[in-house]
Amino acid sequence: MRAKGLETAIRAGGAIVVVAAALLAALIESFLVPFYIGGIAVPLAGALAFFWNWGLAALGVWLVRGRWIVVLTALAWFAVVLAASMPTAAGSLVITSGFNGYALLLAGTAGIAVALWQYFRPRPATTPRPAAGSQAPKQAIPSATKESRP
């Protein structure tokens, strides 16, 4: 019974770590939206959002041993990004409506969508295959039976 409690604690700790990482990633990405090099908008926040969301989902599934952590990390990321894209009372925004802001929202959502597809897609049922070198059991061929016709 003690090992089961330790495993549950490790899974709960993993969930907390992954959700905290998703919150931190969304915060960092939000502040990287206005990233320009020589006056040209560089979608660094969008690229990071895609790979971090996908990677955090994989890390969460590995740590927690359950696929539902993907949904939890997605909700945490969306909460921060939506809060950062709403104007304050003074009218200031963290995520602006420009190329980089849209790239962040689109790429981050795409990273989450890829992770959701990866862990929640329907998989075909597999039938056991005979081992190499063994022969599959032979099925009897039904013989034609004589039926009496009236």
Side-chain angles (χ1 to χ4, degrees):
M1 213 47 197
R2 192 172 179 108
K4 181 118 175 116
L6 180 62
E7 182 180 344
T8 303
I10 290 173
R11 287 183 180 190
I16 291 169
V17 166
V18 171
V19 169
L23 293 171
L24 182 64
L27 191 65
I28 291 170
E29 294 158 3
S30 297
F31 284 105
L32 283 176
V33 167
F35 187 74
Y36 289 86
I37 295 178
I40 299 172
V42 178
L44 177 65
L48 289 175
F50 179 83
F51 290 110
W52 280 356
N53 285 344
W54 192 14
L56 283 174
L59 177 66
V61 169
W62 182 74
L63 282 174
V64 178
R65 303 283 189 244
R67 62 185 180 171
W68 288 99
I69 191 69
V70 176
V71 176
L72 196 58
T73 58
L75 291 175
W77 184 84
F78 275 122
V80 172
V81 169
L82 288 177
S85 63
M86 292 182 193
T88 63
S92 58
L93 284 170
V94 176
I95 299 176
T96 57
S97 60
F99 174 72
N100 284 352
Y102 294 137
L104 169 69
L105 296 173
L106 181 65
T109 305
I112 291 170
V114 168
L116 287 171
W117 175 80
Q118 182 178 5
Y119 294 110
F120 286 96
R121 73 176 181 248
R123 295 202 168 98
T126 58
T127 57
R129 295 181 181 173
S134 68
Q135 294 181 356
K138 296 182 181 178
Q139 295 179 353
I141 299 174
S143 61
T145 58
K146 294 183 181 179
E147 293 181 8
S148 62
R149 292 186 187 176

